[in-house]
Amino acid sequence: AQSVAQPEDQVNVAEGNPLTVKCTYSVSGNPYLFWYVQYPNRGLQFLLKYITGDNLVKGSYGFEAEFNKSQTSFHLKKPSALVSDSALYFCAVKTNAGKSTFGDGTTLTVKP
Amino acid sequence: GAVVSQHPSWVICKSGTSVKIECRSLDFQATTMFWYRQFPKQSLMLMATSNEGSKATYEQGVEKDKFLINHASLTLSTLTVTSAHPEDSSFYICSAASGFSYNEQFFGPGTRLTVL
């Protein structure tokens, strides 16, 4: 069975500082990894994904994520946080079977 | 990215009534649609997966007779909550995907259901 862990329920950073939202996964076979963001009372929006190739993936709104196979991690990062980045972030993993497994989500709060 | 719409965005109904939620992929053909339920500050709980023209596959613990899913076309799926009760109150989100399994899902904006 596949699983995703987001060890932090909440991440707080000051505007302008770098941010990291952590994600680790467990899956049989090669993983497809995704990050989504959810704003209040809205559906999820796709940020970025890793399928294969370069371990550093760049996505929307200046976000990036690094795939680390040995640590089975796919942490989301941004060099300089904005207040508007405050939202709920979900990591997800899929395999060829096609069903996504989502983490429990991490609430990011960026303070001015 | 692709656009998925949901209607209605919110609904309030009396206990015992049925509510239908529509999910449409507006600019692509969705071979697979997913229905999720989300409680406050919690992750998404997958309820069922549906492929166009086929019966939906329900997750364990989800009552298929209570949550009726129809995926009649490549752009439309519906979720009907039958004989709704207050415990069915939740935020329901649909998502759509097409093509390869490594493709991302596109999510609708969600429907807030409140059962009085």
Side-chain angles (χ1 to χ4, degrees), chain A residues 7-18:
Chain A
E8 301 157 317
D9 291 336
Q10 180 100 24
V11 170
N12 298 313
V13 298
E15 187 173 32
N17 283 1

Side-chain angles (χ1 to χ4, degrees), chain A residues 32 34 36 38 41-44 46 49 51 90 94-96 99-100 102-104, chain B residues 34 36 38 42-44 46 59 91 93 101-105 107-110 112:
Chain A
Y32 305 133
F34 303 81
Y36 295 89
Q38 184 181 29
N41 296 311
R42 301 291 300 275
L44 279 66
F46 168 74
K49 67 180 177 183
I51 301 172
F90 290 100
K94 290 175 74 174
T95 64
N96 280 325
K99 185 185 292 187
S100 292
F102 286 81
D104 288 339
Chain B
F34 306 88
Y36 295 88
Q38 185 179 35
Q42 290 190 3
S43 187
L44 303 172
L46 179 64
E59 295 299 301
F91 193 54
I93 305 175
S101 57
Y102 54 72
N103 287 345
E104 60 269 29
Q105 294 173 230
F107 288 82
R112 174 73 59 191

